[in-house]
Amino acid sequence: MTEVSKAAAFDRTQFEELMKKRFFFSPSFQIYGGISGLYDYGPPGSALQSNLVDIWRKHFVIEESMLEVDCSMLTPHEVLKTSGHVDKFADWMCKDPATGEIFRADHLVEEVLEARLKGDKEARGQNSNDQPEESDDKKKRKKKVKEIRATRLDDKTVEEYEFILAQIDNYDGDQLGELMKKYDIRNPATNGELETPRQFNLMFETQIGPSGGLKGYLRPETAQGQFLNFSRLLEFNNGKVPFASAMVGKAFRNEISPRSGLLRVREFLMAEVEHFVDPKNKEHDRFDEVSHMPLRLLPRGVQLEGKTDILEMPIGDAVKKGIVDNTTLGYFMARISLFLEKIGIDMNRVRFRQHMSNEMAHYACDCWDAEIQCSYGWIECVGCADRSAYDLSVHSKATKTPLVVQEALPEPVVVEQFEVEVNRKKFGPRFKRDAKAVEEAMISWPESEKVEKSAQLVAEGKIIVNVNGVEHTVESDLVTIEKRKHTEHIRTYTPNVIEPSFGLGRILYVLMEHAYWTRPEDVNRGVLSFPASIAPIKALIVPLSRNAEFAPFVKKLSAKLRNLGISNKIDDSNANIGRRYARNDELGTPFGLTVDFETLQNETITLRERDSTKQVRGSQDEVIAALVSMVEGKSSFEDALAKFGEFKSTQE
Amino acid sequence: MTEVSKAAAFDRTQFEELMKKRFFFSPSFQIYGGISGLYDYGPPGSALQSNLVDIWRKHFVIEESMLEVDCSMLTPHEVLKTSGHVDKFADWMCKDPATGEIFRADHLVEEVLEARLKGDKEARGQNSNDQPEESDDKKKRKKKVKEIRATRLDDKTVEEYEFILAQIDNYDGDQLGELMKKYDIRNPATNGELETPRQFNLMFETQIGPSGGLKGYLRPETAQGQFLNFSRLLEFNNGKVPFASAMVGKAFRNEISPRSGLLRVREFLMAEVEHFVDPKNKEHDRFDEVSHMPLRLLPRGVQLEGKTDILEMPIGDAVKKGIVDNTTLGYFMARISLFLEKIGIDMNRVRFRQHMSNEMAHYACDCWDAEIQCSYGWIECVGCADRSAYDLSVHSKATKTPLVVQEALPEPVVVEQFEVEVNRKKFGPRFKRDAKAVEEAMISWPESEKVEKSAQLVAEGKIIVNVNGVEHTVESDLVTIEKRKHTEHIRTYTPNVIEPSFGLGRILYVLMEHAYWTRPEDVNRGVLSFPASIAPIKALIVPLSRNAEFAPFVKKLSAKLRNLGISNKIDDSNANIGRRYARNDELGTPFGLTVDFETLQNETITLRERDSTKQVRGSQDEVIAALVSMVEGKSSFEDALAKFGEFKSTQE
């Protein structure tokens, strides 16, 4: 099936019914009415999540010897003020004063204008369904605007609407307010007038400690804790760069109005890698292991032309052609791709989309998202951003703590630069308690300013030094500014950060969608075809009937598998075997083991594979060995078929 | 060494120095000055934590087929109001209005009175160090009262102080306030007068969503999410009881003034099991597997006598004698004990202490804590509480959702009871919109009241029904109350909950203390003797020198081990091998593999065991096989010594 046909064939209602029935997940606090944007994972969802984290850890942390840390979620105001989140991690909302309802301003403008364009098309007798493919969760959102009236718009208005929609992400609150006024955008349900948009910070705020003085937030990402520990991590790595830290943990986002199920939630599991590199050398020494891998790319240039054509090419070529900036970014994109493939994502529905310059987070200088297609459209699941030296620099400045790498230079370097030297004897007494600040202000001047001031000092005998808006006059007997030579043995620099950031909850959701299908012969029951390595439970054990003779054998078989690290479940209910297997297909269990009367005689058991429903039969020990080998990914069911031959049973 | 001598020999300063130097953990946000009660785990601490969770999951969830879930941390007010946390999860604090300093009232009273008693002993010329063993973190706390003046108290006052200290946990805020007034207890540092104690809720509060209307908290325990999902979990378990759910996750407690390092923190990792049982049958069907296990018990009765003598006996006998209430509680106590042993806790420093009736949490009806001794005293690390039907009952009542088990009775039972039946035709028109409430009020009367009202109805022709304080008169033509017979086929009951609750962060800390020691020949460097299964890194790979010939071999060896799931670290620094091994002992890495010139000739390598520092040598494949077997706990280093013979090297 093609991507589009797969998405079309997918029945979300039926899928969600299965998710609920088998308790993969469900809304949190449901008996209290639920809270939107908060979900609980039941046993299969929770096991899937644990396995996902486990595979992630092996694929990234262990394989790359990353330095995993676990940092606090509660974060003081000061840290997130410095990082920029207090000021910039926000959306614009507007309130209906009559109903108290709150709308996210950009989404509302988008929904209303799109609805009007649709109404216009209907009025013009055009097929309004014939629209370009919609990304993300726009489809669902538009349902809010319930009645689309077939009202003809004039051509100029259509053009204006289309222009606005094309750059809807670029408006700030004032501009959104103006648009709402100009185009008379109101509460779609009641037609009530709305208040002007105001900024709503998306962090959950709380107070740390009893005195009420210490404002804090729940972290919006796990990255900050890693940056703050940079110096300890560098020391742990014996002072050597590049190295990567990593963290798996929950982060929080107080969405204005959460929707799209597990894709846009208020509490979510992330896994973030912060790879610290020399800004002058972003080469990755394992890039040659992946350079041949073809990736599906959607570069900025293609998007600027208004297109979504995928450019499929080896990542090595993409770096060579300058489409992807450097081999470290390329290496991680390839590793991300391998990870997604390993857990069972349909790789024909994955693309790497480069961020447009206006949509990047405030800290990023380049970013490629791994987007995965599901029934909600193309979903950003992994961001792979170059955060440059932004975070380390701002934290270093705010705390006056150096967050730098010091490297012995292979050969000493002679550096010539302008330097500021104060006359200690006179300078202190003259400026008293301002002395330190005035000196620091001069030292921190950029080279160009030092050159200028040096000349001024000679020419005018004094200079003006501005310290936080206060001007101080410094005479030439108090300070010398001149060019000097230095021999440097150490190079000091702030490393750049390449950050692959995984929304594990989103990945989990699209994985469940991709794994879902129904058998043509039984379209009412779903099958979840998870790879064995990530499946919540690896084996189902089914005794033929509730006959008491089976129980001891079943119990022993279960314990045996457990000891081998194979999670399993016994189903000794009195449903027939076919029903029990079908139930189990819904849980995504890859293998079923049947114990029957023959088992009691000769210790042979039957193994059924979920996707093909084919069976093999052999001695208990041989079948278990084959099962372990398949769960560990060392052999396939085809190998088992070749070894044992297919077994045809009449029991199912 | 005995317990006491071990605790005495332990040098906490040196230990903490090691923890910091090797980045096991450190205060969060340290470059911003830190926030007390919040810590970050560095790479070894974080790996230790992952391994701890992994072992916990295998030991409990997989072994017992528990239903693991992952529920939201953000929790709406209503849920925690019902559970009792909004009203009861609080401490008493008092403020110094002059300095703004805040004290936890009970701790302050305790510290000051203890300091005065100490001063009295000094004045009497007694050795004030000769005191009974102190529990928990009292020792550290007392340091706050800096100057202990040798002031003689009269005998009556000494008696009063001792009486108060013996029951310090029993006072409420008003009583603590009275004690402070009566005994003139002030800010120990400034002697300033303090405000009267007021209650401080220990939950972190926040707002969910933009409208500000939905108050929420960060969960204080993981249990509530499991209770709220009870019905789904029961269904997942095919309606059968007993079964257990489980969750591993962070919980939060806004301590008034955190201390004792990792033992009393504001954000911590928990693992909780909720085992749902029939209140009429708390037998566990696997109890016979553990009944022989001796446990170290400190029952309520012994404590009431003011003693701390350990009663060591098989858990089977403890249940038989009624010391431990039932086999389910007993089973979990034994399983907890096995878990602690598996991860490397010194079992001579573990005891199970039964809670006194006045110290139990508001939901518990019996509780045994696994306490572990460390340098801070005896620390509660696992609580094993019988929460009865408390939580399911209150949530069921608050949401009007049945949270019950329905079981087919083996034989139908005839039940005789009084029942209320209204005359629908007349009742509705008469009471209009109050009809439902009046009917429900009558139906919910207890049996005794129904008996009484039935008689009254016959005698007086009417009864009074009280609905939230409003009285309604109901005449006898509107309702019938009489004894009726029913045949019941289904038994409906609210299950009880046995809850083993693990403070994983605390367990991690005491484990690190227990694992720590120094070699007599090198007392300045620590060794952390973690069992291989939980050690952060399993093997260190050390090339003899930085000779370039070693690099390819070392790289391949590392990849080989990684593929076998053995986390490893290469140390190719130019420190000598002895130094590199010593550095590694501080990380608790159990095995070291040396690659030397002989390796290049014949592919043999040396394996060094951390605790004994003994070495063996063999072919690469044989040594790796032995290593894997030891890491998986299938063989010991003694086995390796027997196989290879001890190898004496002169290189170290």
Side-chain angles (χ1 to χ4, degrees):
Chain A
M1 270 199 269
T2 65
E3 303 161 21
V4 177
S5 65
K6 263 184 193 162
F10 179 79
D11 181 340
R12 197 196 290 155
T13 310
Q14 204 185 354
F15 168 76
E16 282 177 349
E17 193 51 46
L18 165 57
M19 291 290 113
K20 194 177 135 190
K21 186 169 73 171
R22 294 296 169 216
F23 200 6
F24 275 84
F25 64 89
S26 85
S28 301
F29 318 111
Q30 206 170 21
I31 64 171
Y32 279 86
I35 305 284
S36 59
L38 293 177
Y39 290 88
D40 293 344
Y41 290 114
S46 170
L48 204 59
Q49 181 182 256
S50 291
N51 295 342
L52 181 67
V53 169
D54 199 45
I55 295 173
W56 189 89
R57 209 167 247 148
K58 281 188 187 130
H59 187 83
F60 290 99
V61 178
I62 307 279
E63 180 60 32
E64 315 266 359
S65 297
M66 290 174 176
L67 306 184
E68 189 175 349
V69 294
D70 184 24
C71 303
S72 294
M73 294 180 210
L74 289 162
T75 307
H77 174 85
E78 230 185 320
V79 170
L80 293 161
K81 176 73 186 169
T82 303
S83 70
H85 289 88
V86 169
D87 296 323
K88 292 178 188 158
F89 191 69
D91 281 338
W92 295 94
M93 64 172 192
C94 46
K95 191 173 170 179
D96 181 333
T99 64
E101 218 177 333
I102 285 170
F103 298 88
R104 200 173 130 176
D106 56 341
H107 285 184
L108 181 70
V109 170
E110 193 178 21
E111 283 156 20
V112 171
L113 297 192
E114 281 180 349
R116 288 185 191 164
L117 284 176
K118 205 173 169 193
D120 171 66
K121 284 205 170 171
E122 276 174 27
R124 290 175 195 238
Q126 297 171 356
N127 180 1
S128 66
N129 287 327
D130 184 26
Q131 284 181 16
E133 194 195 338
E134 283 158 352
S135 71
D136 208 339
D137 47 357
K138 276 186 201 168
K139 271 179 204 158
K140 199 171 182 194
R141 265 189 259 150
K142 272 197 301 187
K143 285 183 191 154
K144 261 197 168 173
V145 185
K146 281 163 203 158
E147 293 164 66
I148 291 166
R149 261 159 290 158
T151 307
R152 174 92 191 234
L153 305 169
D154 61 57
D155 291 355
K156 193 176 149 281
T157 306
V158 169
E159 209 172 290
E160 281 175 22
Y161 283 7
E162 280 170 353
F163 177 79
I164 293 163
L165 288 172
Q167 52 167 355
I168 189 70
D169 293 337
N170 294 345
Y171 295 106
D172 68 17
D174 288 347
Q175 292 168 325
L176 287 167
E178 279 163 29
L179 291 176
M180 287 170 63
K181 206 173 262 172
K182 183 168 176 194
Y183 297 107
D184 194 34
I185 292 171
R186 296 154 173 268
N187 182 338
T190 64
N191 211 31
E193 213 167 318
L194 301 171
E195 290 173 1
T196 49
R198 59 192 182 85
Q199 207 167 27
F200 175 66
N201 191 288
L202 299 173
M203 292 192 292
F204 287 96
E205 190 181 319
T206 192
Q207 297 292 334
I208 303 173
S211 53
L214 191 56
K215 199 202 277 194
Y217 306 94
L218 293 176
R219 65 182 176 203
E221 56 175 7
T222 69
Q224 296 303 321
Q226 301 181 60
F227 299 137
L228 299 188
N229 282 303
F230 172 73
S231 294
R232 282 187 190 283
L233 291 165
L234 178 66
E235 192 194 334
F236 191 86
N237 204 48
N238 298 326
K240 283 191 277 188
V241 165
F243 74 89
S245 63
M247 182 162 15
V248 181
K250 296 269 162 88
F252 302 83
R253 192 181 160 106
N254 198 2
E255 292 286 349
I256 292 177
S257 52
R259 57 196 148 201
S260 311
L262 288 185
L263 296 178
R264 196 169 282 280
V265 291
R266 289 176 162 150
E267 187 180 321
F268 45 92
L269 190 66
M270 298 186 86
E272 292 188 304
V273 171
E274 310 300 332
H275 182 87
F276 299 94
V277 289
D278 182 344
K280 288 190 180 164
N281 175 14
K282 294 188 180 178
E283 297 306 310
H284 198 288
D285 69 355
R286 292 180 70 177
F287 185 64
D288 56 349
E289 296 176 26
V290 300
S291 59
H292 64 282
M293 276 181 58
L295 294 189
R296 294 159 43 89
L297 306 175
L298 180 54
R300 195 177 290 153
V302 176
Q303 297 170 67
L304 274 175
E305 291 167 23
K307 292 180 188 164
T308 56
D309 302 334
I310 300 292
L311 212 63
E312 187 163 344
M313 64 166 77
I315 183 67
D317 294 357
V319 172
K320 253 182 227 141
K321 289 185 181 163
I323 297 171
V324 170
D325 184 62
N326 57 69
T327 57
T328 295
L329 211 49
Y331 179 73
F332 280 116
M333 287 164 69
R335 293 284 301 160
I336 289 164
S337 184
L338 287 170
F339 170 72
L340 295 176
E341 190 173 359
K342 190 181 278 179
I343 61 169
I345 294 291
D346 177 352
M347 296 310 288
N348 291 317
R349 300 172 74 188
V350 173
R351 69 183 183 196
F352 285 88
R353 190 178 70 79
Q354 189 173 27
H355 272 205
M356 309 298 284
S357 25
N358 58 30
E359 65 172 321
M360 276 189 287
H362 62 270
Y363 45 73
C365 78
D366 191 12
C367 187
W368 286 84
D369 281 345
E371 294 185 333
I372 312 181
Q373 197 203 35
C374 72
S375 68
Y376 289 99
W378 285 96
I379 304 299
E380 172 197 341
C381 288
V382 189
C384 196
D386 186 337
R387 291 177 80 133
S388 69
Y390 177 81
D391 303 273
L392 292 181
S393 304
V394 294
H395 286 303
S396 175
K397 200 175 159 205
T399 60
K400 298 197 162 66
T401 309
L403 297 174
V404 294
V405 175
Q406 295 200 304
E407 250 174 29
L409 287 166
E411 282 174 40
V413 175
V414 176
V415 179
E416 254 191 325
Q417 61 186 21
F418 274 78
E419 285 190 359
V420 173
E421 190 183 3
V422 302
N423 179 337
R424 295 255 164 254
K425 269 190 195 159
K426 293 184 178 178
F427 196 82
R430 162 73 190 280
F431 291 104
K432 301 200 174 69
R433 58 175 198 184
D434 292 329
K436 205 178 159 203
V438 175
E439 184 181 357
E440 278 177 0
M442 293 189 290
I443 290 172
S444 64
W445 281 335
E447 187 72 4
S448 59
E449 191 161 0
K450 282 178 191 156
V451 173
E452 196 180 297
K453 296 284 187 182
S454 165
Q456 205 178 343
L457 203 59
V458 173
E460 301 171 21
K462 64 178 181 187
I463 50 175
I464 303 295
V465 180
N466 187 317
V467 180
N468 297 324
V470 180
E471 296 195 336
H472 300 267
T473 305
V474 182
E475 290 81 9
S476 58
D477 59 332
L478 295 171
V479 68
T480 318
I481 307 182
E482 52 184 34
K483 202 178 219 176
R484 287 184 189 167
K485 269 190 196 176
H486 270 291
T487 304
E488 289 192 352
H489 300 266
I490 299 280
R491 176 180 159 228
T492 301
Y493 65 88
T494 303
N496 278 15
V497 175
I498 311 275
E499 177 193 78
S501 167
F502 297 73
L504 293 185
R506 287 185 168 193
I507 294 174
L508 199 72
Y509 177 79
V510 296
L511 172 63
M512 293 190 290
E513 268 206 13
H514 284 200
Y516 177 81
W517 59 293
T518 54
R519 301 192 196 280
E521 67 273 21
D522 187 3
V523 291
N524 293 319
R525 297 197 83 117
V527 183
L528 287 166
S529 288
F530 300 120
S533 60
I534 200 168
I537 295 168
K538 312 304 180 197
L540 173 78
I541 303 177
V542 271
L544 182 65
S545 70
R546 303 190 80 173
N547 191 311
E549 282 182 75
F550 295 132
F553 193 93
V554 162
K555 202 177 162 187
K556 259 191 243 163
L557 178 58
S558 172
K560 217 173 258 178
L561 292 177
R562 226 161 40 219
N563 278 334
L564 292 164
I566 307 288
S567 63
N568 64 84
K569 192 185 165 180
I570 298 167
D571 187 348
D572 56 2
S573 69
N574 49 14
N576 70 45
I577 286 204
R579 259 291 304 272
R580 281 184 276 168
Y581 275 139
R583 211 147 67 184
N584 213 58
D585 290 346
E586 292 185 334
L587 286 168
T589 309
F591 304 108
L593 299 172
T594 315
V595 170
D596 54 24
F597 288 107
E598 208 184 321
T599 311
L600 302 180
Q601 287 161 22
N602 61 10
E603 295 227 334
T604 60
I605 54 177
T606 303
L607 181 145
R608 171 198 186 256
E609 195 269 336
R610 174 197 59 209
D611 298 347
S612 64
T613 73
K614 285 184 181 167
Q615 302 188 58
V616 296
R617 186 167 190 119
S619 77
Q620 189 188 189
D621 289 347
E622 281 180 321
V623 170
I624 289 178
L627 174 70
V628 170
S629 166
M630 289 187 287
V631 169
E632 290 178 350
K634 289 177 185 157
S635 68
S636 68
F637 185 65
E638 279 63 47
D639 298 329
L641 276 175
K643 181 182 160 82
F644 297 101
E646 188 177 349
F647 175 75
K648 299 269 189 186
S649 150
T650 52
Q651 287 157 354
E652 205 169 306
Chain B
M1 270 199 268
T2 65
E3 304 159 21
V4 176
S5 65
K6 264 184 191 161
F10 179 79
D11 180 339
R12 198 196 291 155
T13 310
Q14 203 185 353
F15 167 76
E16 282 176 349
E17 194 50 46
L18 165 57
M19 292 289 110
K20 195 178 137 190
K21 186 170 72 174
R22 294 295 169 217
F23 200 5
F24 275 82
F25 64 91
S26 85
S28 301
F29 318 112
Q30 205 169 24
I31 65 171
Y32 280 85
I35 305 284
S36 57
L38 294 176
Y39 290 88
D40 293 344
Y41 290 115
S46 171
L48 204 58
Q49 181 181 258
S50 292
N51 296 341
L52 181 67
V53 169
D54 199 45
I55 296 174
W56 189 90
R57 209 167 246 149
K58 281 187 187 129
H59 187 82
F60 290 100
V61 178
I62 307 278
E63 178 60 33
E64 315 265 358
S65 298
M66 290 174 177
L67 307 183
E68 190 174 350
V69 294
D70 184 23
C71 303
S72 294
M73 293 180 213
L74 288 163
T75 308
H77 175 84
E78 231 184 318
V79 170
L80 293 162
K81 177 72 185 169
T82 303
S83 70
H85 289 88
V86 169
D87 297 321
K88 292 179 188 159
F89 191 70
D91 281 338
W92 294 94
M93 67 173 189
C94 44
K95 190 173 171 180
D96 181 334
T99 64
E101 217 177 332
I102 284 170
F103 299 88
R104 197 172 133 180
D106 56 342
H107 285 184
L108 181 70
V109 171
E110 194 178 20
E111 281 156 21
V112 170
L113 298 192
E114 281 179 350
R116 288 184 191 166
L117 284 176
K118 204 174 171 194
D120 171 65
K121 285 204 173 175
E122 275 173 28
R124 289 176 195 237
Q126 297 170 355
N127 180 1
S128 66
N129 288 326
D130 183 26
Q131 283 181 16
E133 195 195 336
E134 282 158 353
S135 70
D136 209 338
D137 47 356
K138 277 186 199 167
K139 270 178 204 156
K140 198 173 184 193
R141 267 190 257 149
K142 271 196 303 185
K143 284 183 193 152
K144 262 196 170 173
V145 184
K146 281 161 203 159
E147 294 164 65
I148 291 166
R149 261 160 290 154
T151 307
R152 174 91 192 239
L153 305 169
D154 62 56
D155 291 357
K156 194 177 148 278
T157 305
V158 169
E159 209 174 289
E160 281 175 21
Y161 283 9
E162 280 170 351
F163 176 81
I164 293 163
L165 289 172
Q167 53 168 351
I168 189 71
D169 294 336
N170 294 344
Y171 297 105
D172 66 19
D174 288 347
Q175 293 169 322
L176 288 168
E178 279 163 28
L179 291 176
M180 288 169 63
K181 206 172 263 174
K182 184 168 174 191
Y183 297 107
D184 193 34
I185 292 170
R186 295 151 172 270
N187 183 338
T190 64
N191 211 33
E193 214 168 318
L194 301 172
E195 290 174 1
T196 50
R198 58 191 184 85
Q199 208 166 28
F200 174 66
N201 192 289
L202 299 173
M203 292 192 292
F204 288 96
E205 191 181 317
T206 192
Q207 298 292 333
I208 303 173
S211 53
L214 191 56
K215 199 201 281 192
Y217 305 93
L218 293 174
R219 66 181 174 204
E221 56 174 7
T222 69
Q224 297 303 321
Q226 301 182 60
F227 299 136
L228 299 188
N229 281 303
F230 172 73
S231 294
R232 282 188 189 283
L233 291 166
L234 179 66
E235 192 194 334
F236 191 87
N237 203 48
N238 297 327
K240 281 192 279 187
V241 164
F243 74 90
S245 63
M247 181 164 11
V248 181
K250 295 270 164 89
F252 302 82
R253 191 182 161 105
N254 199 2
E255 292 286 349
I256 293 177
S257 52
R259 57 196 150 200
S260 311
L262 289 184
L263 296 178
R264 195 170 284 279
V265 292
R266 287 176 163 151
E267 187 178 320
F268 45 90
L269 190 65
M270 298 186 87
E272 292 188 303
V273 171
E274 311 298 333
H275 182 85
F276 298 95
V277 288
D278 182 345
K280 288 190 180 165
N281 174 14
K282 294 188 180 177
E283 298 306 310
H284 198 289
D285 69 355
R286 292 180 71 176
F287 186 64
D288 56 348
E289 296 176 27
V290 299
S291 60
H292 65 282
M293 277 180 59
L295 295 189
R296 291 159 45 89
L297 307 175
L298 181 53
R300 195 176 290 155
V302 175
Q303 296 170 68
L304 275 174
E305 290 167 25
K307 293 180 187 162
T308 56
D309 302 334
I310 300 292
L311 213 63
E312 187 162 343
M313 63 165 78
I315 183 66
D317 293 357
V319 173
K320 254 183 224 141
K321 288 186 183 164
I323 298 171
V324 170
D325 184 62
N326 57 68
T327 57
T328 295
L329 211 48
Y331 179 73
F332 280 116
M333 287 164 68
R335 294 284 303 160
I336 290 165
S337 184
L338 286 169
F339 170 71
L340 295 176
E341 192 174 357
K342 190 181 277 179
I343 61 170
I345 294 290
D346 178 351
M347 296 309 287
N348 291 316
R349 300 171 75 188
V350 173
R351 69 182 184 196
F352 285 88
R353 190 178 71 79
Q354 189 174 26
H355 272 206
M356 309 298 286
S357 24
N358 58 30
E359 65 172 320
M360 276 188 289
H362 61 271
Y363 45 73
C365 77
D366 192 11
C367 186
W368 287 84
D369 281 347
E371 294 186 334
I372 313 181
Q373 197 203 36
C374 74
S375 69
Y376 291 98
W378 285 96
I379 305 298
E380 173 195 341
C381 288
V382 189
C384 195
D386 185 337
R387 291 177 81 134
S388 69
Y390 176 81
D391 303 273
L392 292 181
S393 304
V394 293
H395 287 303
S396 174
K397 201 177 158 201
T399 59
K400 298 198 163 70
T401 309
L403 297 174
V404 293
V405 175
Q406 295 200 305
E407 248 173 30
L409 286 166
E411 282 173 39
V413 173
V414 177
V415 179
E416 254 190 324
Q417 61 185 22
F418 274 78
E419 285 189 359
V420 173
E421 193 184 0
V422 300
N423 179 337
R424 295 254 164 254
K425 271 190 192 155
K426 294 184 176 178
F427 197 83
R430 163 72 190 279
F431 291 105
K432 300 202 173 66
R433 60 177 194 180
D434 291 330
K436 202 175 163 208
V438 175
E439 184 182 356
E440 276 177 1
M442 292 189 291
I443 289 171
S444 66
W445 280 336
E447 186 73 4
S448 60
E449 192 162 359
K450 282 180 191 155
V451 173
E452 197 181 296
K453 296 283 188 183
S454 164
Q456 206 178 342
L457 202 59
V458 173
E460 301 171 19
K462 63 180 182 188
I463 50 174
I464 304 295
V465 179
N466 187 317
V467 179
N468 297 325
V470 180
E471 296 194 337
H472 299 267
T473 304
V474 182
E475 290 81 10
S476 57
D477 60 330
L478 295 171
V479 68
T480 317
I481 306 181
E482 52 183 35
K483 199 178 220 175
R484 285 182 189 168
K485 269 191 196 177
H486 270 294
T487 305
E488 290 192 350
H489 299 266
I490 299 279
R491 178 180 156 226
T492 301
Y493 65 88
T494 305
N496 278 17
V497 175
I498 311 275
E499 176 193 79
S501 167
F502 297 72
L504 293 184
R506 288 184 167 193
I507 293 174
L508 199 71
Y509 177 79
V510 295
L511 172 63
M512 293 191 288
E513 269 206 14
H514 284 201
Y516 177 80
W517 59 293
T518 54
R519 301 193 198 278
E521 66 273 21
D522 187 3
V523 291
N524 293 320
R525 295 197 85 117
V527 182
L528 287 166
S529 288
F530 299 122
S533 59
I534 201 167
I537 295 167
K538 311 306 181 196
L540 172 79
I541 303 178
V542 272
L544 183 64
S545 70
R546 304 190 79 172
N547 191 309
E549 285 183 73
F550 295 132
F553 192 93
V554 161
K555 201 177 163 187
K556 258 190 242 163
L557 178 58
S558 173
K560 216 173 259 180
L561 291 178
R562 228 162 36 219
N563 278 335
L564 292 165
I566 306 288
S567 63
N568 63 83
K569 193 184 164 181
I570 298 167
D571 186 349
D572 56 2
S573 69
N574 50 12
N576 70 45
I577 287 204
R579 267 272 319 268
R580 281 185 275 168
Y581 276 139
R583 212 147 66 184
N584 213 59
D585 290 346
E586 293 186 332
L587 286 168
T589 309
F591 304 108
L593 299 172
T594 315
V595 171
D596 53 26
F597 290 107
E598 209 185 317
T599 310
L600 301 181
Q601 286 161 24
N602 61 12
E603 295 227 333
T604 59
I605 54 177
T606 303
L607 180 144
R608 171 199 187 256
E609 195 269 337
R610 175 196 58 209
D611 298 347
S612 64
T613 73
K614 285 184 179 166
Q615 302 188 58
V616 297
R617 186 168 190 117
S619 77
Q620 189 189 192
D621 289 347
E622 280 180 322
V623 169
I624 289 178
L627 175 70
V628 170
S629 165
M630 288 187 286
V631 169
E632 290 178 350
K634 289 178 184 155
S635 67
S636 67
F637 185 64
E638 278 63 47
D639 298 330
L641 276 175
K643 181 182 161 82
F644 298 101
E646 189 176 348
F647 175 74
K648 299 271 188 183
S649 150
T650 52
Q651 288 158 353
E652 208 170 301

